[in-house]
Amino acid sequence: MPELTSRLFELYGKRWNFYRILDKLADILQKAGKEYQEPDADCDTEWYLSEQQAGYVLYVDLFAENFNGLIKKIPYLQGLGITYVHLMPLFKCPEKESDGGYAVSSYRETDPKLGTISDLKTALKEFHRAGIRVVVDFVFNHTSDEHTWALKAKQGSQFYRNFYFIYKDKSDADDWNRTLREIFPEVRRGSFTYVKEAGGWVWTTFNPFQWDLNYSNPDVFLAMCAEMLSLANLGVDVLRLDALAFIWKKKNTCCENLPEAHTLIQAFQYAARIAAPGLVFKSEAIVHPDEVTRYIGPEECRLSYNPLQMALFWEALAARDTRLLQSSLKKRWAIPGGCAWVNYIRCHDDIGWTFSDEDAGKLGINGYSHRQFLNKFYTDRFDGSFARGVPFQLNPKTGDCRICGTMASLAGLEDAYELHKKQDPRAELYAEMAVKRIIMIYTVLAALPGIPLIYSGDENAMINDYSYQVDKSRKDDSRWVHRIPFNKTAVSDSWLSARQTQITAAIRKIIRCRKTEKLFGHAGIYFHNLQDSHVFGFTRFLDHECIHVVADFSEQNCLYKIGDRTLHLGPYDVITLKESI
Ligand code: GLC
């Protein structure tokens, strides 16, 4: 409580009625705390550091239609070795467009297409019974424009207008816009949307129907705290803090990663620690790597996506050059004790090139041109590229964009398949390389400290689905190219399905192997000094044992020295070598 109070004092202490804020908060905590079910006393509070963990992220409707279908698919997930499932937004949202559910209209009602709150609770119980922890999104930067608060704001309630940023005068919006980065520039320029019913310009960092909340108003913190605890009381284990870099706004700043954003997250965290102590926060900060780590720690998020590892895996694959990967992870891997990275290669979102320009500069790589190269490479506009990706949010002002596509399409399987259909003799070799590339990436992922996360469908190496381009509500959001109904992953073409089956079997085996090796769990890591710019190498160590992991990110044969041993790596080979120390 002293920690919580001090964070709130920093944010709201100048208000004459500060004591009233604490009073209201105490009520919220007490009420929620009574409903909270403590996790088992003997449960490992640092479970996420174990080699037993393997993660999976899915949209309920795409994966299993609804909560009942989801329960039926638990054995499938168990078979894959999954122990952590992120169920993407489940709550009521606008019917027409909802940013895949990331525009929440009520945190207390589920999307009726998926089932009821009680169905969801049943599914959560079933997951727990199967030894799988559940992650749910806390979309707290914005609500949908159909949330009761937004509806009341549109009707003129001043109390609820103060929940958002609504300006009658365009110049007020322009004033903010001057220093803001455009997040969805294809949707609209600037970060404000004129909303007629609201009689003004509304702050909408993402889509026009996602209204940013104004946390400088303590009533917003109180209201969202109650919503957060209601999610905890459904029985979820982890809350994924969506778009957390944007939650505090201050004039003349870029309004990302502000110190007050950290204070606010700490306030939420301490509130959760009082009323729902088993709850773990996971950060979704897809920003500069210096900023990503600032959200990680026992006071904020104990788990975090690892966007640097993700982006640099793709970067190294395109460049056939591991220098930036090796040096950046060496420099930036460390995070506070008791915290873990969630390592991934694909998720439901785009790939942004969030490496540090300073790190790249030290290697003589120009960040801007390198991003231009990567964008070309992954959208098949670079000679010899194996990737079939689609650009996302091309910024006409900067030429910048991000990349969409499934793991298999970005790693070359779709390209090989297209060649096969044209009876091009190169198809076999290209497919072989794509399969090896994919298996190498998952092997390395599973050997890193933290939770390896699989994006649903990638375990079956599904390739891009371009049907979103003819769907009116989706055609402008290319992320739908990799948001595909799970049953669509079964293809009728035997050439493709043979390769996909090979990848599925390999991924299952990788997860099984990870679980049999303690050194892939709580053990330490050090990244090797670079020997060969095609090879990425690190060592995990614990007590008197260590395991070296060495991976070739290219089609070249390479030699690599570990002590006095020389390892021979073929294209995309991974070698692990265990030793006593
Ligand atoms: C997060 C989600 C993304 C969504 C955005 C706005 O980045 O992962 O899908 O568009 O937040 O909620």
Side-chain angles (χ1 to χ4, degrees), residues 369-401:
S369 343
H370 201 48
R371 286 191 183 87
Q372 297 277 325
F373 154 68
L374 292 166
N375 283 334
K376 283 191 184 143
F377 187 93
Y378 281 106
T379 53
D380 198 18
R381 288 178 291 135
F382 190 85
D383 227 12
S385 165
F386 51 72
R388 291 294 176 94
V390 183
F392 177 65
Q393 299 301 333
L394 181 75
N395 188 327
K397 210 160 70 189
T398 60
D400 196 21
C401 77

Side-chain angles (χ1 to χ4, degrees), residues 99 102 139 142 184 206 210 240 242-243 284 348-349 479 483:
D99 190 12
Y102 282 92
V139 185
H142 44 264
F184 279 3
F206 297 94
Q210 289 165 302
R240 171 190 179 275
D242 182 66
E284 192 245 347
H348 69 293
D349 278 334
R479 291 175 298 178
R483 297 174 177 175

Side-chain angles (χ1 to χ4, degrees), residues 59 86 88-89 98-103 137 139 141-142 183-184 205-207 210 240-244 246 284 286 305 347-350 392 402 477 479 483:
Y59 284 104
H86 171 194
M88 281 187 282
S98 67
D99 190 12
Y102 282 92
D137 285 276
V139 185
N141 174 68
H142 44 264
I183 307 301
F184 279 3
T205 299
F206 297 94
N207 288 292
Q210 289 165 302
R240 171 190 179 275
L241 269 47
D242 182 66
L244 82 182
F246 298 90
E284 192 245 347
I286 313 299
Y305 278 106
C347 70
H348 69 293
D349 278 334
D350 46 289
F392 177 65
R402 281 115 71 184
D477 187 339
R479 291 175 298 178
R483 297 174 177 175

Side-chain angles (χ1 to χ4, degrees), residues 273-290:
R273 213 187 276 187
I274 291 169
L279 194 66
V280 172
F281 281 4
K282 173 185 175 191
S283 154
E284 192 245 347
I286 313 299
V287 288
H288 189 283
D290 288 345

Side-chain angles (χ1 to χ4, degrees), residues 274-333:
I274 291 169
L279 194 66
V280 172
F281 281 4
K282 173 185 175 191
S283 154
E284 192 245 347
I286 313 299
V287 288
H288 189 283
D290 288 345
E291 300 293 347
V292 172
T293 43
R294 294 203 175 109
Y295 295 96
I296 308 173
E299 291 201 308
E300 296 187 31
C301 301
R302 285 191 277 156
L303 294 177
S304 168
Y305 278 106
N306 195 345
L308 184 66
Q309 161 273 313
M310 183 278 292
L312 290 179
F313 271 27
W314 289 114
E315 182 272 338
L317 282 178
R320 276 76 162 184
D321 183 342
T322 56
R323 287 177 305 148
L324 188 56
L325 170 66
Q326 191 83 31
S327 62
S328 305
L329 294 197
K330 196 181 185 76
K331 176 172 164 194
R332 299 174 180 281
W333 191 267

Side-chain angles (χ1 to χ4, degrees), residues 546-564:
C546 73
I547 192 162
H548 309 286
V549 180
V550 175
D552 186 345
F553 270 64
S554 78
E555 296 92 340
Q556 310 291 316
N557 292 320
C558 302
L559 298 179
Y560 199 83
K561 273 191 166 307
I562 300 273
D564 44 17

